[in-house]
Amino acid sequence: MVLKITFLIISYLWGAIPWGYFAGKLFKGIDVTQHGWCKIGGSNVMRTVGIGPGILSAILDMSKGVLPFVIGRQLGWPEIGALGGVLGIIGHNWSIFLKQGEGRGGAAAFGLIVFMAPKAFLYCIVIFIIFWIITRHTSLPMLLFIVSLPVVIVILDLPLWQGWISIGILLAMILKRFSGIKEELSRV
């Protein structure tokens, strides 16, 4: 039990590492929380620092959801690993290392979902792409992707714990993305 709790704490701390912030400082000497969208995510790093640092930041952000799940699965705890992935998303969204400008968890969520429920990911990504083509923005398509995930998991008859984890992802994403979604809906 202590080992699992320690694993979950480390998962949160891994998610809380602001890779995008470090990329901004290392590659361009700027604080990305003060430029562009003022977020630490890969898309803002790409916009304010460059394509290479942005891709690197996005990959490291994806690892915040992927690594806890993969390690947990290897230890024989797929459910705990998936919960660790959710905590990685929460760490990214509400980092103890930053006062402002945290990410919104998209890359970490994508990473976790691809490894935890790849079939569900394929169905949900189609929804994302359709609505991205219609709106040319990411917040609303991401909301629809995340909201549809638990439904798709039930339809595909995947394990119940994956449904609960997808609800955890949904809550972490909605709480952080709500303001961006309101802005985009006003423009559509």
Side-chain angles (χ1 to χ4, degrees):
M1 182 64 135
V2 172
L3 187 58
K4 290 178 182 177
I5 291 170
T6 302
F7 174 82
L8 293 173
I9 292 168
I10 291 169
S11 296
Y12 167 81
L13 292 172
W14 175 252
I17 297 172
W19 296 116
Y21 175 83
F22 294 141
K25 288 290 187 182
L26 178 67
F27 293 103
K28 200 167 182 182
I30 65 167
D31 177 353
V32 294
T33 68
Q34 303 298 314
H35 297 277
W37 297 301
C38 302
K39 301 289 181 195
I40 61 167
S43 61
N44 192 45
V45 174
M46 194 174 301
R47 180 178 189 206
T48 59
V49 181
I51 291 176
I55 291 171
L56 176 62
S57 180
I59 290 168
L60 288 168
D61 288 348
M62 285 182 97
S63 77
K64 295 173 179 186
V66 172
L67 282 181
F69 178 70
V70 170
I71 292 169
R73 186 176 58 192
Q74 288 299 109
L75 293 171
W77 317 327
E79 299 93 338
I80 298 295
L83 183 56
V86 172
L87 288 172
I89 296 166
I90 291 170
H92 181 74
N93 289 358
W94 296 280
S95 174
I96 61 169
F97 304 122
L98 293 174
K99 292 181 183 175
Q100 67 177 18
E102 302 99 332
R104 290 191 276 179
F110 269 25
L112 173 57
I113 296 163
V114 165
F115 280 78
M116 179 187 77
K119 284 183 189 175
F121 176 83
L122 292 175
Y123 285 98
C124 294
I125 198 67
V126 169
I127 294 167
F128 177 92
I129 291 168
I130 289 168
F131 282 92
W132 181 82
I133 289 169
I134 293 169
T135 66
R136 294 291 184 203
H137 297 284
T138 59
S139 288
L140 181 60
M142 188 64 173
L143 173 67
L144 295 171
F145 174 96
I146 295 298
V147 167
S148 66
L149 181 63
V151 175
V152 171
I153 285 173
V154 168
I155 290 170
L156 293 176
D157 198 27
L158 297 174
L160 183 61
W161 65 265
Q162 290 184 2
W164 287 112
I165 292 296
S166 70
I167 291 170
I169 296 168
L170 172 66
L171 291 174
M173 299 292 290
I174 284 181
L175 289 173
K176 194 62 178 189
R177 287 184 167 264
F178 186 69
S179 61
I181 293 164
K182 279 184 7 183
E183 287 173 24
E184 287 188 16
L185 284 175
S186 70
R187 288 184 269 175
V188 174

